[in-house]
Amino acid sequence: MASVLHLSLLLLGSLMVTSAGNFHQDFDITWGDGRANILNNGQLLTLSLDKASGSGFQSKNEYLFGKIDMQLKLVPGNSAGTVTAYYLKSPGSTWDEIDFEFLGNLSGDPYTLHTNVFTNGKGDKEQQFHLWFDPTADFHTYSILWNPQRIVFSVDGTPIREFKNSESIGVAFPKNQPMRIYSSLWNADDWATRGGLVKTDWTHAPFTASYRNFNADACVWSNGKSSCASSSPSSPSSSSAWFSQELDSTSQERLKWVQKNYMIYNYCADAKRFPQGLPAECRTS
């Protein structure tokens, strides 16, 4: 009997692993009129953009805290004017949002990775980076760690940004609104590349971005309850390291390395933008 139970648990475990990262099960294509496609038995998703339209998808689930991973391969070649957005967002006019946006560029020039955090509909917390590799040549993993203490943006496991919960000094932090995962590929040549100076070259269309290996180790919000609220020992709030994860000394050093060498804009260093003084979270150590 014990061996049968063990076998059934193994089978169940294999089924759970198999279902992880299946785009058919985890996402809905929401717009694009055929320009978004789920391929390879749900293991690959592609978004395309042409002069008529872009495309996008969203998660079936809503999440309230989690560790979200997605591998992306961005639009290659002359991607100027295009934006590939990958983000968490809640509905309504006072929404919360955690953003990755990839701003295209001319062939050979680097993508700009744009990050932002919104709470109750207010953002203005932009940090921008170049990457230390070509994000169009292969898939790379872009991760959001979101727990009650902090939000960490990472690329291939290297943290590039940490936004800490600073409610104690009056800074709003997204912690009350469940969010879905969204992604879209769209034309933003009025601002995306060199402030809109470089326009989209439609002779290169269709532009295509690809996605694979989605994973969410997260609290799913459904019918007003979190899957982490269970008193079960296996509930994520009690057993998942991400719920209380912080950056260790090695991760802090890697974060400093990225911010020293690859950060190209930091709202916390833009004194001209904030003549009344930098935001409170910028003034903490």
Side-chain angles (χ1 to χ4, degrees), residues 232-246:
S232 160
S234 62
S235 68
S237 58
S238 60
S239 66
S240 288
W242 62 261
F243 198 81
S244 58
Q245 184 176 337
E246 54 188 75

Side-chain angles (χ1 to χ4, degrees), residues 14 33 53 57 60 93 95 113 128 137 142 174 198 222-223 227-228 243 260 276 281:
S14 67
D33 194 23
S53 177
F57 63 90
K60 295 179 188 289
S93 59
W95 74 97
L113 171 49
Q128 295 183 336
Y142 302 90
V198 182
S222 181
N223 298 318
S227 63
C228 297
F243 198 81
K260 177 183 177 182
Q276 307 305 314
E281 69 272 17

